[in-house]
């Protein structure tokens, strides 16, 4: 979620798995993993997400970002859900993750699933279900989530440094993705997750103040958007919650992100950088022209991303602590 996805989705978050996790053995995921042991698990998670959304419209973006940040650090093993303990600072307390929220939604879903099927469904799978539900309940496409992830026992705040910055250029993004088995096509499709949510000023400040020696404002940024962002985010802004929505329909999963990107109306340098690659730009244009094409690509890339193997070996009984 985007890799430019750092403070997005508050913002949609995409970060990257630890390189050491690439050598971990892959485990088999399957569509029918819980058919016998907990057949109603997904519907219970959907209910928890739906209930949370009725009280807080930022929940879908938060859950989608949370899932990205989980999978891109140590693989999809729910390490992002663990709480810091003693001297060990967990991922959720790493700088890029400070703005992650809505952990209570996963807690509530886990509690309900545990009451029905004790010790069966992993927190990593619950988070994957919740991210899918966040998209569907925001008007986006549905898909079958591969199941069978296990929960990890390690979560280290410093490893969140691997999450890509919203200032990344196309080559930095492509390198990060390819190291994780994800293509430029996946990068462009997953960047579309930026259709949901809100970004704090810090994630796009570099484009609206002191851009470079020649320009105070990034010349690729549409002048009217630049002017409004500079009003909301002045040079020495101290307001913690100041920022802007990711696109013009930030609560709806649609292809507006791509349409705005082609108009110079995206927030991050990393978003804008997609237009510097002919191949990536062609995909941006394709998705801007067709919601269906975007939906299809997003689903394919989400399944691929959410299947990045983690080193998990247990099913946590409480998503915040190891067994």
């Amino acid at each position: 979620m985007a890799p430019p996805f750092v403070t997005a989705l508050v913002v949609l978050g995409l970060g990257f798995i630890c390189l050491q996790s690439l050598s971990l053995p892959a485990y088999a995921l399957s569509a029918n993993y819980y058919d016998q042991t907990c057949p109603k698990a997904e519907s219970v998670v959907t209910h928890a997400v739906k209930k949370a959304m009725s009280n807080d419209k930022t929940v879908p973006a938060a859950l989608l970002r949370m899932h990205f940040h989980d999978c891109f650090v140590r693989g999809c093993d729910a390490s992002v859900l663990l709480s810091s303990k003693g001297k060990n600072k967990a991922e959720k307390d790493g700088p890029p993750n400070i703005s992650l929220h809505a952990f209570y939604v996963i807690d509530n879903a886990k509690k309900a699933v545990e009451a029905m099927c004790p010790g069966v469904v992993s927190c990593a799978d619950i988070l994957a279900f919740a991210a899918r539900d966040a998209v569907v309940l925001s008007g986006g496409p549905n898909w079958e989530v591969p199941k069978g992830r296990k929960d990890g026992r390690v979560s280290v705040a410093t490893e969140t440094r691997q999450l890509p910055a919203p200032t990344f250029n196309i080559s930095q993004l492509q390198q990060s993705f390819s190291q994780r088995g994800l293509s430029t096509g996946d990068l462009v499709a997953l960047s579309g997750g930026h259709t949901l949510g809100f970004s704090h000023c810090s994630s796009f400040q570099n484009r609206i103040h002191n851009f470079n020696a020649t320009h105070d404002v990034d010349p690729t940024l549409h002048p009217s958007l630049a002017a409004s962002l500079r009003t909301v985010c002045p040079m020495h802004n101290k307001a913690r919650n100041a920022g802007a929505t990711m696109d013009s329909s930030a609560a709806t999963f649609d292809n507006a992100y791509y349409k705005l990107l082609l108009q110079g109306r995206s927030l991050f340098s990393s978003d804008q950088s997609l237009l510097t690659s002919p191949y990536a730009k062609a995909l941006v244009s394709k998705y801007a022209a067709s919601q269906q094409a975007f939906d299809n690509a997003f689903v394919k890339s989400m399944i691929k991303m959410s299947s990045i193997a983690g080193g998990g070996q247990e099913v946590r009984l409480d998503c915040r602590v190891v067994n």
Side-chain angles (χ1 to χ4, degrees):
M1 205 162 222
F5 327 70
V6 174
T7 317
L9 233 64
V10 19
V11 178
L12 194 219
L14 271 207
F16 297 107
I17 56 171
C18 299
L19 292 180
Q20 64 261 37
S21 70
L22 296 179
S23 61
L24 293 170
Y27 42 77
L29 301 180
S30 67
N32 56 3
Y33 192 84
Y34 297 116
D35 282 5
Q36 304 303 318
T37 55
C38 198
K40 295 182 179 177
E42 290 185 78
S43 60
V44 168
V45 174
T46 302
H47 177 73
V49 175
K50 202 177 283 188
K51 185 177 179 183
M53 282 178 64
S54 68
N55 297 316
D56 182 356
K57 65 181 181 180
T58 71
V59 161
L63 293 174
L64 190 52
R65 183 183 183 220
M66 195 186 296
H67 183 43
F68 283 141
H69 280 221
D70 179 40
C71 291
F72 285 144
V73 178
R74 291 190 168 267
C76 309
D77 68 345
S79 55
V80 75
L81 304 177
L82 288 170
S83 296
S84 296
K85 186 177 181 182
K87 291 184 178 180
N88 179 61
K89 281 183 69 178
E91 287 172 33
K92 65 169 61 171
D93 290 323
N97 286 344
I98 294 297
S99 57
L100 286 180
H101 68 290
F103 290 103
Y104 73 91
V105 182
I106 304 301
D107 292 335
N108 291 344
K110 176 65 171 174
K111 206 169 293 181
V113 171
E114 282 297 308
M116 186 172 58
C117 318
V120 173
V121 184
S122 68
C123 296
D125 275 351
I126 288 174
L127 180 51
F129 299 156
R132 184 268 316 276
D133 294 338
V135 171
V136 175
L137 295 171
S138 299
N142 200 350
W143 66 92
E144 183 74 57
V145 175
K147 308 159 187 74
R149 298 164 190 78
K150 290 293 185 282
D151 298 326
R153 296 175 58 84
V154 178
S155 184
V156 184
T158 54
E159 292 182 354
T160 60
R161 292 172 186 161
Q162 297 168 72
L163 292 168
T167 53
F168 269 17
N169 62 36
I170 189 68
S171 60
Q172 290 171 310
L173 294 174
Q174 288 172 321
Q175 181 182 24
S176 293
F177 264 51
S178 65
Q179 287 174 339
R180 279 87 187 168
L182 298 171
S183 67
T184 298
D186 296 318
L187 162 62
V188 179
L190 292 172
S191 293
H194 281 171
T195 183
L196 292 177
F198 170 94
S199 172
H200 292 117
C201 296
S202 58
S203 292
F204 53 84
Q205 194 86 311
N206 67 301
R207 299 188 76 194
I208 58 174
H209 299 292
N210 299 324
F211 178 68
N212 61 24
T214 313
H215 302 279
D216 189 35
V217 175
D218 182 348
T220 63
L221 190 61
H222 193 284
S224 65
L225 177 60
S228 71
L229 292 179
R230 281 167 65 92
T231 300
V232 174
C233 304
M235 185 69 175
H236 301 293
N237 175 53
K238 299 296 183 185
R240 287 186 59 188
N241 294 319
T245 54
M246 295 303 292
D247 76 13
S248 54
S249 52
T252 303
F253 193 92
D254 56 23
N255 64 343
Y257 162 82
Y258 297 104
K259 294 176 181 178
L260 294 171
L261 176 52
L262 291 172
Q263 298 167 20
R265 294 179 178 275
S266 59
L267 289 186
F268 301 156
S269 295
S270 51
D271 293 321
Q272 181 65 30
S273 77
L274 298 181
L275 302 183
T276 64
S277 154
Y279 175 61
K281 184 176 182 178
L283 289 176
V284 169
S285 298
K286 178 181 179 179
Y287 303 150
S290 171
Q291 179 71 49
Q292 190 62 56
F294 167 47
D295 286 351
N296 293 344
F298 185 80
V299 166
K300 186 177 174 184
S301 294
M302 275 295 288
I303 291 172
K304 191 173 171 184
M305 186 277 297
S306 71
S307 300
I308 295 173
Q313 298 175 329
E314 66 182 25
V315 172
R316 268 183 237 144
L317 301 181
D318 178 339
C319 292
R320 293 177 182 252
V321 296
V322 298
N323 292 343

